[in-house]
Amino acid sequence: MSTKLGELNQTKVVEALNANSIGKSIRLCGWVRTRRDSKAGFSFLEINDGSTLKNVQVLAEAKLPNYESEILKIGIGSSVEIEGTVVASPGKEQATEIKADSVKVFGYADPLTYPLQKKGTSMEFLRTIAHLRPRTNTFGAVARVRNEICKSIHNFFQSRGFIYVHAPIITGSDCEGAGQMFKVTTFDLLDVPRKEDKSIDFEQDFFGRPTNLTVSGQLEAEIYATALTNVYTFGPTFRAENSNTSRHLSEFWMIEPEMAFCNLEGNMSVAEEFLKTIFNDVLTNCGTDMQFFNERIDKTVIETLKGIVESDFVRLSYTEAVDVLLKCGETFEFPVSWGIDLQSEHERYLTEKKFKKPVIVCDYPKDIKAFYMRLNDDNKTVRAMDVLVPKVGEIIGGSQREERLDVLEQRMKDAGLDTEEYWWYLDLRRFGTVPHAGFGLGLERTVQFATGMSNIRDVIPFPRAPKSADF
Ligand code: 4AD
Ligand code: MG
């Protein structure tokens, strides 16, 4: 085995493919995608190392000492180290190839049992081999675009002076007040301690109280925004809702900016600029992968992203949106009337058919939105906003927060929440309260939208969904 492993002088496939590398001696490691043998006394190996969608072609001549004994046994999935020289490729497909001085095999992959032999394997099958699917073109490309999006998100906020805050994953509060939380406990489920009145004795549990996995880092972000002004969280969130759709996960990542001295209009502007920046970065920095998605996954994806970067988002109130839906003449599965929660079919009609661009719907009825959203003077609606995009529907949910102590307390009581549990949240309104606003962007819906992948389970490495948490 090479003594040079771990050294940083290893060349990546993406560099070896660049014509500037011609003439360089290199060492490159990766996994074999194909081997083709020529009767003329050489073989071609196609190597991929995840640095780009493309493979580099390696010419291995029969005169190499291990040609018969090892190189001719290399199949798809084998891992190798190549030492050699980058040369101009006579082939039309690529500018460069590598002429190997040595080919070392780290590990073979038995062609009879290696599951990634065939092209065109279904997404459903690939979900059952989540440990190997990153080695496919599609999942490699998804991983790189997801990474680019994360980088773009941090750059967006960091370049604007937002402070990155880490919200806890285990929490005692239910941010959305929707009760869709996973419980965290060390109790033996067969022998849960009870009080005299038979209720569960949480004082004996690990934290001495009921705790859950967080559904959102917003409340903690509000704490930091009311001290540091502009902050954002970026972490995993968990929802125990039984939604078996192509847009829902039980564990997903959310980015939640929170801004003090900001109202709903400011919030909408940040959200719009934020999405445009992300998609522009993907188009600029993930050209090869985006070309692949456009050819293989969704023929409109590049055009759609460009459209978003260039468009002005439509802004309309919930009441106006309901009006549009009532007058449009479409038949919806869920009938429309003022007060209903907009369903995916309604959201998609607005953004795909009516306006053909992203739509920000604001001022929703208070009864269908969370307790923390600022009540409007009409006493019926709150300063909520949802950003809707074609195909995915809601990609961002946010609001201006209720900063008036008395109004917030009343809203919490109406929502059936225990105001004493949220004493610290109310303190933010007791001591130096400020108008503030923020939103949550679903990372996976963003990756889904950017890549055109049809199922959200294929844009997160290890998806968790109802009845599904393998790997
Ligand atoms: O609209 P949501 O529930 O908003 C909040 O959690 C607020 N606390 C955010 C805030 O104001 N700081 O969720 C925000 C976004 C959604 O628009 C969607 O993109 C994503 O999170 N999301 C999900 N993504 C995948 N699977 C699920 N089950 C999701 N639920 C929400
Ligand atoms: Mg929402």
Side-chain angles (χ1 to χ4, degrees):
M1 190 148 298
S2 171
T3 51
K4 297 174 201 150
L5 276 182
E7 282 180 19
L8 288 173
N9 63 359
Q10 194 170 302
T11 302
K12 292 286 181 201
V13 168
V14 68
E15 294 155 349
L17 288 170
N18 190 320
N20 292 336
S21 299
I22 291 173
K24 283 192 187 145
S25 296
I26 56 140
R27 189 170 64 82
L28 177 142
C29 298
W31 292 266
V32 173
R33 287 291 177 86
T34 61
R35 191 194 86 222
R36 284 175 289 124
D37 305 323
S38 161
K39 294 221 173 64
F42 59 86
S43 295
F44 280 126
L45 301 172
E46 298 265 344
I47 316 275
N48 190 282
D49 65 359
S51 59
T52 172
L53 183 88
K54 296 196 170 127
N55 307 323
V56 68
Q57 177 164 287
V58 174
L59 173 70
E61 292 173 313
K63 66 180 187 212
L64 290 173
N66 61 344
Y67 186 74
E68 296 278 332
S69 61
E70 292 187 332
I71 295 176
L72 287 183
K73 287 190 199 143
I74 292 173
I76 305 181
S78 301
S79 49
V80 293
E81 179 195 65
I82 310 293
E83 282 180 308
T85 310
V86 181
V87 297
S89 174
K92 290 198 193 75
E93 304 276 299
Q94 64 276 321
T96 67
E97 62 186 40
I98 300 173
K99 190 166 171 302
D101 298 325
S102 97
V103 175
K104 282 183 197 148
V105 180
F106 294 115
Y108 295 100
D110 182 352
L112 291 177
T113 51
Y114 185 57
L116 293 175
Q117 296 290 339
K118 292 190 300 278
K119 287 210 167 134
T121 344
S122 76
M123 296 292 169
E124 287 75 17
F125 171 68
L126 291 172
R127 262 171 240 150
T128 68
I129 50 166
H131 61 307
L132 295 173
R133 67 178 188 169
R135 300 187 189 186
T136 63
N137 282 339
T138 306
F139 287 87
V142 167
R144 283 183 297 272
V145 170
R146 186 177 167 112
N147 176 66
E148 175 64 31
I149 289 174
C150 295
K151 196 163 86 184
S152 173
I153 288 167
H154 282 296
N155 282 345
F156 180 88
F157 290 120
Q158 293 296 330
S159 66
R160 285 165 178 77
F162 283 61
I163 305 291
Y164 179 25
V165 170
H166 298 94
I169 289 170
I170 299 174
T171 160
S173 53
D174 180 356
C175 170
E176 295 304 297
Q180 296 173 321
M181 304 185 84
F182 290 101
K183 296 181 172 61
V184 174
T185 176
T186 52
F187 278 156
D188 174 354
L189 294 186
L190 294 176
D191 186 19
V192 175
R194 304 246 171 207
K195 294 195 224 165
E196 260 171 37
D197 65 359
K198 295 277 182 262
S199 63
I200 297 174
D201 186 4
F202 281 105
E203 275 177 32
Q204 292 190 50
D205 203 353
F206 190 89
F207 294 108
R209 54 161 301 154
T211 48
N212 302 299
L213 294 181
T214 188
V215 294
S216 158
Q218 177 195 321
L219 304 189
E220 293 85 358
E222 284 187 55
I223 293 177
Y224 272 75
T226 52
L228 302 173
T229 308
N230 289 336
V231 302
Y232 69 107
T233 70
F234 189 162
T237 49
F238 308 84
R239 302 222 173 154
E241 61 186 319
N242 199 6
S243 298
N244 245 313
T245 80
S246 59
R247 306 175 317 124
H248 287 88
L249 288 166
S250 313
E251 174 179 305
F252 61 98
W253 287 64
M254 203 174 1
I255 299 92
E256 297 184 88
E258 191 68 34
M259 298 158 287
F261 317 108
C262 182
N263 61 14
L264 193 70
E265 284 68 28
N267 206 23
M268 290 190 208
S269 300
V270 174
E272 178 168 346
E273 202 183 325
F274 183 43
L275 287 178
K276 287 178 176 173
T277 304
I278 293 172
F279 297 132
N280 190 48
D281 284 348
V282 168
L283 287 169
T284 310
N285 301 324
C286 301
T288 312
D289 291 321
M290 287 312 298
Q291 211 62 50
F292 171 82
F293 287 120
N294 208 59
E295 276 164 29
R296 298 293 181 87
I297 302 292
D298 173 356
K299 303 244 177 296
T300 62
V301 69
I302 291 185
E303 182 192 316
T304 309
L305 291 190
K306 281 190 178 152
I308 294 215
V309 171
E310 284 151 20
S311 71
D312 287 327
F313 292 11
V314 175
R315 298 180 184 189
L316 81 168
S317 70
Y318 169 91
T319 304
E320 288 164 335
V322 165
D323 230 39
V324 168
L325 293 167
L326 285 173
K327 292 192 182 133
C328 72
E330 295 267 320
T331 23
F332 295 110
E333 190 188 335
F334 294 92
V336 178
S337 64
W338 199 96
I340 63 149
D341 206 354
L342 296 185
Q343 301 294 320
S344 158
E345 55 174 341
H346 309 132
E347 296 176 344
R348 293 183 62 164
Y349 173 81
L350 293 171
T351 172
E352 286 170 20
K353 292 205 180 149
K354 172 75 184 173
F355 298 109
K356 299 192 171 58
K357 48 182 172 169
V359 176
I360 311 183
V361 181
C362 63
D363 297 317
Y364 283 76
K366 65 176 180 186
D367 294 335
I368 57 170
K369 288 291 183 188
F371 68 92
Y372 51 71
M373 300 188 179
R374 193 178 198 281
L375 190 63
N376 280 315
D377 291 343
D378 63 11
N379 250 321
K380 289 195 312 206
T381 59
V382 287
R383 298 247 75 191
M385 65 170 209
D386 278 2
V387 183
L388 315 177
V389 293
K391 288 177 267 194
V392 165
E394 181 196 331
I395 196 164
I396 281 180
S399 65
Q400 184 172 335
R401 318 307 187 190
E402 183 55 77
E403 85 285 12
R404 297 162 296 185
L405 180 63
D406 52 334
V407 184
L408 181 60
E409 276 180 323
Q410 192 53 51
R411 286 272 289 147
M412 293 177 82
K413 282 180 194 143
D414 294 346
L417 297 174
D418 181 355
T419 47
E420 290 192 1
E421 288 265 317
Y422 291 83
W423 62 275
W424 47 272
Y425 191 66
L426 293 166
D427 263 5
L428 306 179
R429 281 75 183 164
R430 273 187 198 105
F431 310 123
T433 192
V434 293
H436 61 291
F439 61 82
L441 172 71
L443 177 64
E444 286 72 21
R445 289 198 187 164
T446 311
V447 181
Q448 204 183 352
F449 185 71
T451 56
M453 293 289 285
S454 58
N455 196 314
I456 197 165
R457 298 178 194 199
D458 300 325
V459 298
I460 185 165
F462 306 101
R464 275 88 183 85
K467 301 279 179 289
S468 160
D470 302 329
F471 292 93

